Amino acid sequence: MKPPGSGVDHVVDGETITAAAHRPSGAESPLLERERELSDLDQLVADALSGAPVLALIEGPAGIGKSRLLAAAREKADGAGFRVLGARGSDLERELPFGVVRQLFEPVLADEDQRERWLAGPAAPAARVFAPPDDGDTARDVSFAVLYGLFWLTANIAAEGPVALAVDDLHWCDRASLRFIAYLEPRLEGLRVLVATAARMGESHGDSRLIEEIAHDPAAIAIRPASLSQSGVAALARERLGAATEPAFAVACQSATGGNPLLLNELLKTLQAERVRPDAAHVDVIRDLGPRAVSRTVLLRLARLPDDSVAVARAIAVLGDGVALPVVAALSGLDDRRVAEATRGLIAAEILRPDPPRGFVHPLVRDAVYHELAPSERELAHETAARALVDLGAVPEQVAAHLLVVPRRGEPWVVALLHDAALAAGRRGATDSAVSYLQRALAEPPPPEQRTQLLLDLGAAEALLNVPAAAEHMREAHARLEDPLPRARAAEVLARVLIFTGPAQDSVAVVQRAIDELPTEYADERRALEAFELYAVTFGAEVPDAEARLAAARSGDGGDGPGARMLSAVAAWDWAMRGGRAERCTELALAALADGSLFAADPGFMTVIAASVLVLADRDEALTAWAGAMAEARRLGSVFAVCGIDLWRGWTWLQRGELAEAEASLNEARRGTILVEEREGVSRAYVGAFLSRVLLERGDLSGARAALATGVDPAPGSDADTLVRRSEIELLLSERRWAQARAKAEEYRARLGSVDNVAWAPWRSLTAAALDGLGERDAAAALLEEELVAARRWGAPGGLSRTLRLLGTMRSADGIETLREAVAVSEESPARLEHAKALTALGFALRRSRRPSDARESLRRAFELASRCGAQPLAADARSELYAAGGRPRREALTGPDSLTPSERRVAELAAAGHANRDIAQALYVTPKTVEVHLTSVYRKLGISARTGLSAALA
């Protein structure tokens, strides 16, 4: 290091520590004691350039140097040829929809050619983020469409060269932008995109779940800069104060600031201004100044500046970073020339940063100025700012950020502007911002004639985020409505939220009243309401004549509208749960889905009910139903609907034994629950229950246990309760905890009520497995015999084969014929994993009966099928038994077209048809890297080296 006065700078957390008073403000130099962090950044830039998924998370307390390290990351990325796009979160603008996303991309989208090129195709829905929202359907949830569009915008830019997205103050990032980062992060592989962020982790804020999701993703690499050492403190003190620093003085500085670079720098500025020498005699001065270094130093420097500078600093503290000069002028009461002059003085005093956008050198410096204003002064300043922005033609969302913190005065213009801002936020897909604006509009309060519409809009938005709050607001809106049709539509939304928040009887009461009030000419609307009323029975609601009405609905003669289709779907599900036969229930479900009107009307709820009947019946049409529902959900653009379909499609793959497909789909659903920040966790309970069973089949017991640990306690008797309890029992059985499994199975049975479908809730066989483990074999066999009757009544091959397998295994040598039937029943069914289990059980029994030659073929087929399904424990058991029977797997067992997973086959067929990887990715809503990975696996399994061989190999 050069001696004092030599002209060497040390830049710490955005501050330039100068050795001489004449040094130009803002000069930058190498960071002190950050060699390890800089080396890590070099590696991350190289990794991202190679296509590895990388998100650098620079974390630590305020002032530790995060921003300067982020600036270093930007410099390194720029030097490596990355296009660097930057943004910074703001405490004031946390409710500005996609504020950070707009900072990132708007500069490069200003070029019309680039905008047209990069916002084409699947990226097109992202355009609504950057353009004034139109007057489209305000009730429509477009959050998925926007996130998907933003992903492809990023991918399109990266296709022309590597891209770095640098986001400072991630903890102050608006929620819509956080969702984009959380959506992008698991899809980074192969894009050559580096995401570099800086955040204060561990602070309490409303976006903690999203930030934790970002931080815990495998792509996230944490960089945690440490406090400065005593020698580092001494070096900075020597450079700032221009004299040798005595050890006692350095120790006192370190103790007062904790080695925090920003706090130390502010302390040293004060000491420099007061001409304090860095010796032991002045240690007491440090102790007096240290704890309040930032605020005292900033306010001291500010007080020495002209009044114009004070007014401009306060205006910018209220308005936030990047504000235009005319707005600063309007709030400070100065003309543009005086604002410019005052700004120069603030830059020279190291209060404002010299580079655009206009703002403070650090958020703590802004806080010092902002909080020097009394609370009432801050409120009035924000009100003045809001009025000035309106006069200058600012967009409603920008004004709304200030109105959120101004005093409530009951002014109609405030209500109208907040309502406009909420509608605009909703059209951009920023539902949470819309909720904040509407809540504030209601608190103003609005004129009485506007309250009902505000409640309706708020309830509809909250239904995607906060179901109990949605119920409260929709209930009030429903009570205020007088026109029967709008009142009935509000009742339907209210019924949807009440059925999940419970008690379900409340949902029934709302729907029944709406049906009574709705004129008879609205026949299909009445049927839609009736469908919700009757579906509430599955959640434990009492509807005295439900059984007769559901039986009548099984005829499917209720009409052709969406309401009639909903009623048929509910009737089919209820019939399946309460003793119906698979063939008849399937006919009714297929009729409900036949013309596609149910997909269009309700892809994420009533369609799921109908499609689930097909899944329980082991029908291939279920996959077609999910494809139709997903296409409609994506067309509508709803994260909520897409998440729900991913969930139930994941369950479908589990039922069919496609474990890799199931896990991928359920993980997408899990990420979706994070994106919608669903506070009650009902969806997380469903995901956890299904994912636990998938991981159990794959041999990951600890993962299965972790998947269930959602902290959610579903409503007793609900679907989620049924599924969670089944998964808990299966885990206990796998862990051989027989007594606990038996107790849980008895509780499970009690919660099921009249539900009795072996494909959905096989309580008898789960109880039998626990009893068998406890040595009560006769009681276990009796339960299995009873379940076999129920399985034959339902008639679907998967459930029947499962019960036959369990019973045949329990009968040992006497059960071989039962096991043969289990194999035969599942031979042609979609339940491939169940077929593999039946083959394994049969092979095992034959070998134990000293018929090894008869056992070999069953065990070979079992091994091949279990391997293809991804059930490694079962495959290992089958292979072990095969070797014991004197056989060995076929060499070609895991190759050829039949070895392809469904996703691999879809990709292979599209590639064989001549589609490029990016086109395939867009068609299947996956990333280009996913397509590449699937094709690599396809080539290996088919024994080819290029796409040109696909058609022949698949044939």
Side-chain angles (χ1 to χ4, degrees):
M1 184 178 293
K2 295 184 181 180
S6 64
V8 175
D9 296 337
H10 287 287
V11 183
V12 183
D13 206 50
E15 298 283 349
T16 302
I17 312 301
T18 59
H22 64 272
R23 177 174 327 279
S25 175
E28 298 210 350
S29 65
L31 284 159
L32 181 64
E33 296 188 341
R34 294 291 183 255
E35 291 80 8
R36 176 182 56 82
E37 290 85 353
L38 293 171
S39 176
D40 289 344
L41 290 174
D42 282 329
Q43 184 60 55
L44 293 179
V45 168
D47 289 345
L49 194 58
S50 70
V54 174
L55 183 142
L57 178 59
I58 305 168
E59 57 178 284
I64 200 66
K66 303 183 299 296
S67 296
R68 186 59 187 95
L69 281 172
L70 185 64
R74 295 181 60 164
E75 292 164 8
K76 292 175 182 295
D78 182 65
F82 283 72
R83 182 193 299 270
V84 180
L85 310 179
R88 183 177 185 178
S90 166
D91 189 23
L92 176 64
E93 297 179 346
R94 289 176 69 182
E95 296 299 340
L96 185 62
F98 289 108
V100 162
V101 165
R102 286 148 83 174
Q103 287 183 55
L104 287 170
F105 293 107
E106 279 180 340
V108 294
L109 294 178
D111 183 292
E112 285 299 324
D113 291 338
Q114 291 181 164
R115 184 185 185 94
E116 183 177 350
R117 187 168 70 254
W118 290 337
L119 285 174
R128 67 177 66 226
V129 172
F130 309 103
D134 57 27
D135 296 325
D137 182 4
T138 59
R140 176 177 158 188
D141 172 22
V142 298
S143 48
F144 174 81
V146 170
L147 292 174
Y148 185 69
L150 287 171
F151 165 78
W152 276 105
L153 169 62
T154 307
N156 288 343
I157 298 173
E160 299 184 12
V163 174
L165 305 180
V167 180
D168 202 357
D169 290 330
L170 187 71
H171 51 283
W172 284 332
C173 185
D174 64 278
R175 285 186 288 271
S177 296
L178 277 178
R179 284 199 183 90
F180 164 63
I181 295 170
Y183 182 85
L184 174 67
E185 186 177 17
R187 297 166 174 83
L188 284 171
E189 189 171 6
L191 289 187
R192 295 206 300 166
V193 172
L194 168 66
V195 182
T197 66
R200 300 180 204 169
M201 301 298 290
E203 293 191 0
S204 176
H205 43 68
D207 307 315
S208 58
R209 281 194 66 221
L210 276 170
I211 292 181
E212 286 172 9
E213 176 73 6
I214 291 167
H216 294 148
D217 188 275
I221 305 297
I223 296 176
R224 300 182 179 94
S227 299
L228 296 177
S229 67
Q230 184 179 331
S231 62
V233 170
L236 288 180
R238 182 171 63 250
E239 292 192 17
R240 171 63 74 171
L241 302 179
T245 303
E246 294 186 6
F249 188 90
V251 169
C253 286
Q254 187 179 40
S255 176
T257 64
N260 182 291
L262 177 73
L263 301 183
L264 175 63
N265 189 30
E266 293 300 327
L267 172 63
L268 294 174
K269 287 178 184 176
T270 301
L271 296 174
Q272 182 185 38
E274 300 296 327
R275 301 184 181 279
V276 174
R277 292 187 58 79
D279 53 32
H282 292 92
V283 166
D284 289 343
V285 177
I286 297 170
R287 290 174 183 155
D288 291 339
L289 290 174
R292 298 179 56 210
V294 173
S295 59
R296 292 185 66 176
T297 303
V298 170
L299 296 176
L300 177 63
R301 297 205 306 276
L302 191 60
R304 292 172 174 170
L305 296 176
D307 290 345
D308 283 2
S309 294
V310 175
V312 168
R314 289 176 173 175
I316 296 174
V318 169
L319 292 165
D321 287 357
V323 65
L325 187 146
V327 187
V328 178
L331 185 57
S332 62
L334 306 173
D335 59 36
D336 290 359
R337 180 186 59 78
R338 292 170 65 186
V339 168
E341 291 176 355
T343 299
R344 280 195 292 274
L346 290 166
I347 292 171
E350 298 183 73
I351 293 173
L352 296 184
R353 56 178 178 262
D355 302 318
R358 183 181 289 105
F360 290 89
V361 294
H362 194 279
L364 290 182
V365 176
R366 178 260 179 187
D367 289 349
V369 176
Y370 184 73
H371 290 291
E372 180 68 7
L373 297 169
S376 58
E377 289 180 296
R378 293 198 296 266
E379 290 179 346
L380 291 174
H382 282 293
E383 184 173 7
T384 302
R387 293 180 183 276
L389 286 166
V390 169
D391 292 341
L392 292 168
V395 296
E397 297 111 303
Q398 188 177 357
V399 182
H402 294 279
L403 292 178
L404 290 175
V405 293
V406 304
R408 280 75 168 155
R409 303 187 191 280
E411 296 196 32
W413 77 270
V414 171
V415 175
L417 191 141
L418 287 166
H419 196 189
D420 287 345
L423 297 180
R427 295 184 193 114
R428 295 188 197 277
T431 305
D432 32 31
S433 294
V435 168
S436 295
Y437 298 152
L438 290 166
Q439 288 173 336
R440 175 62 183 80
L442 283 169
E444 181 62 13
E449 66 274 11
Q450 295 179 25
R451 183 172 181 84
T452 301
Q453 188 60 51
L454 288 169
L455 287 166
L456 287 170
D457 291 340
L458 177 56
E462 286 175 327
L464 303 171
L465 299 174
N466 185 347
V467 177
E472 176 187 346
H473 292 121
M474 288 304 299
R475 195 189 293 277
E476 183 183 348
H478 176 255
R480 296 171 66 90
L481 288 166
E482 297 180 359
D483 189 316
L485 188 57
R487 185 172 165 82
R489 288 171 178 160
E492 184 177 338
V493 176
L494 180 57
R496 284 174 184 258
V497 297
L498 288 176
I499 207 168
F500 290 108
T501 57
Q505 201 65 41
D506 291 351
S507 177
V508 170
V510 168
V511 170
Q512 286 177 339
R513 184 174 178 183
I515 293 172
D516 291 342
E517 294 172 346
L518 200 58
T520 55
E521 59 262 30
Y522 297 110
D524 199 61
E525 287 81 358
R526 290 167 62 95
R527 293 188 190 97
L529 291 166
E530 186 180 8
F532 282 98
E533 176 192 9
L534 296 175
Y535 188 65
V537 173
T538 67
F539 283 75
E542 294 288 337
V543 180
D545 57 349
E547 186 174 351
R549 289 162 63 193
L550 284 162
R554 293 170 192 166
S555 68
D557 296 332
D560 295 326
R565 305 298 188 193
M566 293 178 186
L567 193 54
S568 292
V570 171
W573 178 257
D574 179 81
W575 202 4
M577 292 293 102
R578 303 175 199 280
R581 295 185 179 275
E583 184 178 0
R584 299 293 303 281
C585 297
T586 298
E587 289 174 0
L588 187 56
L590 287 171
L593 298 168
D595 66 354
S597 62
L598 191 56
F599 294 135
D602 192 0
F605 188 25
M606 285 293 175
T607 296
V608 168
I609 295 171
S612 295
V613 176
L614 305 180
V615 178
L616 292 177
D618 296 321
R619 295 291 294 260
D620 285 331
E621 294 94 331
L623 298 180
T624 305
W626 294 131
M630 184 61 86
E632 189 62 27
R634 286 169 173 161
R635 186 189 69 80
L636 293 173
S638 167
V639 165
F640 199 79
V642 169
C643 172
I645 296 166
D646 275 328
L647 164 70
W648 292 101
R649 187 159 60 176
W651 166 61
T652 305
W653 289 125
L654 169 61
Q655 292 288 102
R656 296 170 72 90
E658 299 286 355
L659 300 181
E661 302 280 342
E663 187 173 358
S665 190
L666 291 170
N667 277 325
E668 280 296 310
R670 183 192 63 81
R671 284 190 283 265
T673 66
I674 299 294
L675 293 176
V676 299
E677 293 183 279
E678 187 226 9
R679 298 179 187 178
E680 289 65 56
V682 177
S683 296
R684 297 201 302 277
Y686 282 102
V687 173
F690 288 143
L691 190 56
S692 176
R693 287 173 56 197
V694 171
L695 295 174
L696 198 58
E697 296 285 8
R698 304 198 79 166
D700 183 1
L701 266 68
S702 61
R705 176 66 64 188
L708 272 180
T710 61
V712 177
D713 188 15
S718 65
D719 287 348
D721 181 56
T722 297
L723 295 168
V724 168
R725 287 178 177 274
R726 174 177 177 176
S727 296
E728 287 176 340
I729 296 165
E730 293 194 0
L731 257 176
L732 291 170
L733 292 173
S734 296
E735 296 165 346
R736 305 176 69 82
R737 295 157 68 182
W738 311 119
Q740 288 176 269
R742 178 182 183 176
K744 287 286 187 182
E746 289 172 353
E747 293 176 13
Y748 180 52
R749 171 70 186 100
R751 293 284 187 104
L752 287 172
S754 60
V755 171
D756 192 11
N757 184 301
V758 297
W760 176 251
W763 64 270
R764 297 178 185 86
S765 52
L766 293 174
T767 307
L771 290 171
D772 188 33
L774 292 169
E776 300 180 37
R777 175 156 289 203
D778 290 344
L783 276 174
L784 286 173
E785 294 281 5
E786 184 182 326
E787 182 171 281
L788 184 57
V789 174
R792 292 193 189 280
R793 182 178 66 243
W794 173 240
L800 178 56
S801 178
R802 177 179 180 276
T803 306
L804 286 166
R805 169 177 58 82
L806 295 171
L807 185 58
T809 300
M810 188 169 290
R811 289 172 174 171
S812 300
D814 296 330
I816 289 178
E817 290 308 311
T818 304
L819 292 172
R820 289 190 190 279
E821 184 183 359
V823 170
V825 163
S826 56
E827 181 79 42
E828 300 299 327
S829 82
R832 307 312 296 152
L833 182 55
E834 182 51 51
H835 186 55
K837 290 180 179 181
L839 286 166
T840 303
L842 176 60
F844 183 88
L846 289 169
R847 192 181 74 79
R848 289 292 190 274
S849 299
R850 299 186 179 181
R851 297 158 63 181
S853 59
D854 294 340
R856 290 171 195 151
E857 186 56 28
S858 289
L859 292 169
R860 280 195 189 96
R861 292 168 59 202
F863 168 70
E864 294 169 8
L865 195 50
S867 298
R868 180 187 177 283
C869 290
Q872 297 308 319
L874 181 64
D877 288 345
R879 181 173 52 195
S880 177
E881 285 295 314
L882 178 57
Y883 283 130
R888 60 184 59 253
R890 284 184 280 257
R891 183 171 298 176
E892 70 278 8
L894 304 181
T895 61
D898 288 343
S899 68
L900 300 180
T901 68
S903 289
E904 288 170 350
R905 178 167 285 277
R906 286 195 298 272
V907 169
E909 289 171 348
L910 288 169
H915 297 285
N917 284 12
R918 284 174 65 85
D919 296 333
I920 297 171
Q922 293 167 10
L924 299 180
Y925 285 83
V926 297
T927 68
K929 184 63 178 180
T930 299
V931 174
E932 181 184 324
V933 169
H934 281 327
L935 282 176
T936 300
S937 179
V938 167
Y939 296 162
R940 176 179 55 80
K941 290 180 178 181
L942 298 183
I944 60 176
S945 59
R947 312 166 88 90
T948 53
L950 277 172
S951 296
L954 289 172

